[in-house]
PDB file of all heavy atoms in Angstrom:
ATOM      1  N   THR V 116     -30.920   0.848 -27.838  1.00  0.00           N
ATOM      2  CA  THR V 116     -31.557   0.001 -26.851  1.00  0.00           C
ATOM      3  C   THR V 116     -30.493  -0.556 -25.877  1.00  0.00           C
ATOM      4  O   THR V 116     -29.301  -0.556 -26.181  1.00  0.00           O
ATOM      5  CB  THR V 116     -32.279  -1.163 -27.496  1.00  0.00           C
ATOM      6  OG1 THR V 116     -31.316  -2.028 -28.125  1.00  0.00           O
ATOM      7  CG2 THR V 116     -33.257  -0.665 -28.560  1.00  0.00           C
ATOM      8  N   GLY V 138      -1.049  -9.306 -27.466  1.00  0.00           N
ATOM      9  CA  GLY V 138      -0.096  -8.514 -26.698  1.00  0.00           C
ATOM     10  C   GLY V 138       0.898  -9.379 -25.932  1.00  0.00           C
ATOM     11  O   GLY V 138       2.099  -9.109 -25.910  1.00  0.00           O
ATOM     12  N   LYS V 148       8.546  -3.522 -24.628  1.00  0.00           N
ATOM     13  CA  LYS V 148       8.403  -2.145 -25.063  1.00  0.00           C
ATOM     14  C   LYS V 148       7.647  -2.059 -26.387  1.00  0.00           C
ATOM     15  O   LYS V 148       6.704  -1.256 -26.538  1.00  0.00           O
ATOM     16  CB  LYS V 148       9.771  -1.489 -25.209  1.00  0.00           C
ATOM     17  CG  LYS V 148       9.737  -0.088 -25.825  1.00  0.00           C
ATOM     18  CD  LYS V 148      11.134   0.480 -26.018  1.00  0.00           C
ATOM     19  CE  LYS V 148      11.075   1.808 -26.767  1.00  0.00           C
ATOM     20  NZ  LYS V 148      12.431   2.414 -26.936  1.00  0.00           N
ATOM     21  N   ASN V 203      10.583  -7.181  -3.731  1.00  0.00           N
ATOM     22  CA  ASN V 203       9.813  -6.772  -2.555  1.00  0.00           C
ATOM     23  C   ASN V 203       8.953  -5.525  -2.800  1.00  0.00           C
ATOM     24  O   ASN V 203       8.309  -5.027  -1.910  1.00  0.00           O
ATOM     25  CB  ASN V 203      10.737  -6.504  -1.355  1.00  0.00           C
ATOM     26  CG  ASN V 203      11.734  -5.374  -1.619  1.00  0.00           C
ATOM     27  OD1 ASN V 203      11.935  -4.992  -2.786  1.00  0.00           O
ATOM     28  ND2 ASN V 203      12.322  -4.843  -0.576  1.00  0.00           N
ATOM     29  N   PHE V 209       3.248  -1.537  -9.241  1.00  0.00           N
ATOM     30  CA  PHE V 209       2.152  -1.671 -10.196  1.00  0.00           C
ATOM     31  C   PHE V 209       0.891  -1.011  -9.678  1.00  0.00           C
ATOM     32  O   PHE V 209       0.140  -0.384 -10.435  1.00  0.00           O
ATOM     33  CB  PHE V 209       1.859  -3.127 -10.538  1.00  0.00           C
ATOM     34  CG  PHE V 209       0.806  -3.258 -11.598  1.00  0.00           C
ATOM     35  CD1 PHE V 209       1.106  -2.982 -12.925  1.00  0.00           C
ATOM     36  CD2 PHE V 209      -0.509  -3.579 -11.275  1.00  0.00           C
ATOM     37  CE1 PHE V 209       0.133  -3.034 -13.911  1.00  0.00           C
ATOM     38  CE2 PHE V 209      -1.481  -3.639 -12.243  1.00  0.00           C
ATOM     39  CZ  PHE V 209      -1.163  -3.387 -13.568  1.00  0.00           C
ATOM     40  N   LYS V 277      23.364  -3.053 -20.270  1.00  0.00           N
ATOM     41  CA  LYS V 277      23.203  -1.605 -20.448  1.00  0.00           C
ATOM     42  C   LYS V 277      21.901  -1.108 -19.817  1.00  0.00           C
ATOM     43  O   LYS V 277      21.887  -0.114 -19.076  1.00  0.00           O
ATOM     44  CB  LYS V 277      23.231  -1.266 -21.936  1.00  0.00           C
ATOM     45  CG  LYS V 277      23.033   0.216 -22.238  1.00  0.00           C
ATOM     46  CD  LYS V 277      23.011   0.479 -23.738  1.00  0.00           C
ATOM     47  CE  LYS V 277      22.710   1.945 -24.039  1.00  0.00           C
ATOM     48  NZ  LYS V 277      22.651   2.200 -25.503  1.00  0.00           N
ATOM     49  N   MET V 312       1.338 -23.815 -17.766  1.00  0.00           N
ATOM     50  CA  MET V 312       0.160 -23.450 -16.965  1.00  0.00           C
ATOM     51  C   MET V 312      -0.560 -24.678 -16.400  1.00  0.00           C
ATOM     52  O   MET V 312      -1.063 -24.639 -15.268  1.00  0.00           O
ATOM     53  CB  MET V 312      -0.814 -22.619 -17.807  1.00  0.00           C
ATOM     54  CG  MET V 312      -0.295 -21.257 -18.207  1.00  0.00           C
ATOM     55  SD  MET V 312      -1.394 -20.408 -19.354  1.00  0.00           S
ATOM     56  CE  MET V 312      -2.759 -19.975 -18.271  1.00  0.00           C
ATOM     57  N   TYR V 317       1.609 -26.359 -11.504  1.00  0.00           N
ATOM     58  CA  TYR V 317       1.074 -25.024 -11.766  1.00  0.00           C
ATOM     59  C   TYR V 317      -0.447 -24.984 -11.884  1.00  0.00           C
ATOM     60  O   TYR V 317      -1.041 -23.902 -11.819  1.00  0.00           O
ATOM     61  CB  TYR V 317       1.667 -24.465 -13.071  1.00  0.00           C
ATOM     62  CG  TYR V 317       3.039 -23.872 -12.942  1.00  0.00           C
ATOM     63  CD1 TYR V 317       4.164 -24.650 -13.160  1.00  0.00           C
ATOM     64  CD2 TYR V 317       3.230 -22.549 -12.582  1.00  0.00           C
ATOM     65  CE1 TYR V 317       5.446 -24.128 -13.033  1.00  0.00           C
ATOM     66  CE2 TYR V 317       4.497 -22.006 -12.457  1.00  0.00           C
ATOM     67  CZ  TYR V 317       5.598 -22.790 -12.685  1.00  0.00           C
ATOM     68  OH  TYR V 317       6.851 -22.263 -12.554  1.00  0.00           O
ATOM     69  N   PHE V 376      -0.112  -0.048  -0.570  1.00  0.00           N
ATOM     70  CA  PHE V 376       0.337  -0.249   0.816  1.00  0.00           C
ATOM     71  C   PHE V 376       0.027  -1.653   1.330  1.00  0.00           C
ATOM     72  O   PHE V 376       0.557  -2.074   2.351  1.00  0.00           O
ATOM     73  CB  PHE V 376      -0.317   0.791   1.738  1.00  0.00           C
ATOM     74  CG  PHE V 376       0.043   2.197   1.423  1.00  0.00           C
ATOM     75  CD1 PHE V 376      -0.817   3.003   0.699  1.00  0.00           C
ATOM     76  CD2 PHE V 376       1.278   2.733   1.826  1.00  0.00           C
ATOM     77  CE1 PHE V 376      -0.486   4.327   0.402  1.00  0.00           C
ATOM     78  CE2 PHE V 376       1.620   4.038   1.534  1.00  0.00           C
ATOM     79  CZ  PHE V 376       0.742   4.827   0.824  1.00  0.00           C
ATOM     80  N   PRO V 386      -4.528  -9.985   0.732  1.00  0.00           N
ATOM     81  CA  PRO V 386      -5.167  -8.703   0.400  1.00  0.00           C
ATOM     82  C   PRO V 386      -5.983  -8.765  -0.897  1.00  0.00           C
ATOM     83  O   PRO V 386      -7.001  -8.090  -1.037  1.00  0.00           O
ATOM     84  CB  PRO V 386      -3.992  -7.716   0.281  1.00  0.00           C
ATOM     85  CG  PRO V 386      -2.790  -8.558   0.110  1.00  0.00           C
ATOM     86  CD  PRO V 386      -3.072  -9.851   0.838  1.00  0.00           C
ATOM     87  N   ILE V 454     -13.449 -12.896 -21.408  1.00  0.00           N
ATOM     88  CA  ILE V 454     -14.558 -13.799 -21.665  1.00  0.00           C
ATOM     89  C   ILE V 454     -15.644 -13.617 -20.610  1.00  0.00           C
ATOM     90  O   ILE V 454     -16.839 -13.533 -20.922  1.00  0.00           O
ATOM     91  CB  ILE V 454     -14.070 -15.266 -21.689  1.00  0.00           C
ATOM     92  CG1 ILE V 454     -13.128 -15.496 -22.878  1.00  0.00           C
ATOM     93  CG2 ILE V 454     -15.270 -16.217 -21.773  1.00  0.00           C
ATOM     94  CD1 ILE V 454     -12.536 -16.881 -22.933  1.00  0.00           C
ATOM     95  N   CYS V 490      -9.551 -17.378  -3.401  1.00  0.00           N
ATOM     96  CA  CYS V 490      -8.193 -16.877  -3.522  1.00  0.00           C
ATOM     97  C   CYS V 490      -7.446 -16.995  -2.191  1.00  0.00           C
ATOM     98  O   CYS V 490      -6.298 -17.424  -2.124  1.00  0.00           O
ATOM     99  CB  CYS V 490      -8.212 -15.421  -3.986  1.00  0.00           C
ATOM    100  SG  CYS V 490      -6.589 -14.771  -4.403  1.00  0.00           S
ATOM    101  N   ARG V 500       8.899 -12.718  -3.118  1.00  0.00           N
ATOM    102  CA  ARG V 500       9.728 -13.884  -3.443  1.00  0.00           C
ATOM    103  C   ARG V 500      10.492 -13.638  -4.730  1.00  0.00           C
ATOM    104  O   ARG V 500       9.993 -12.991  -5.655  1.00  0.00           O
ATOM    105  CB  ARG V 500       8.850 -15.129  -3.578  1.00  0.00           C
ATOM    106  CG  ARG V 500       8.098 -15.491  -2.321  1.00  0.00           C
ATOM    107  CD  ARG V 500       7.216 -16.716  -2.503  1.00  0.00           C
ATOM    108  NE  ARG V 500       7.992 -17.916  -2.743  1.00  0.00           N
ATOM    109  CZ  ARG V 500       7.439 -19.120  -2.955  1.00  0.00           C
ATOM    110  NH1 ARG V 500       6.118 -19.249  -2.933  1.00  0.00           N
ATOM    111  NH2 ARG V 500       8.188 -20.175  -3.168  1.00  0.00           N
ATOM    112  N   ASN V 501      11.718 -14.164  -4.780  1.00  0.00           N
ATOM    113  CA  ASN V 501      12.502 -14.078  -6.012  1.00  0.00           C
ATOM    114  C   ASN V 501      11.805 -14.926  -7.088  1.00  0.00           C
ATOM    115  O   ASN V 501      11.531 -16.105  -6.871  1.00  0.00           O
ATOM    116  CB  ASN V 501      13.901 -14.600  -5.738  1.00  0.00           C
ATOM    117  CG  ASN V 501      14.794 -14.581  -6.975  1.00  0.00           C
ATOM    118  OD1 ASN V 501      14.642 -15.412  -7.850  1.00  0.00           O
ATOM    119  ND2 ASN V 501      15.694 -13.635  -7.022  1.00  0.00           N
TER     120      ASN V 501
END
Side-chain angles (χ1 to χ4, degrees):
T116 66
K148 173 183 174 179
N203 62 343
F209 184 76
K277 178 182 176 182
M312 294 173 72
Y317 279 92
F376 297 100
I454 295 176
C490 188
R500 299 179 66 180
N501 179 285

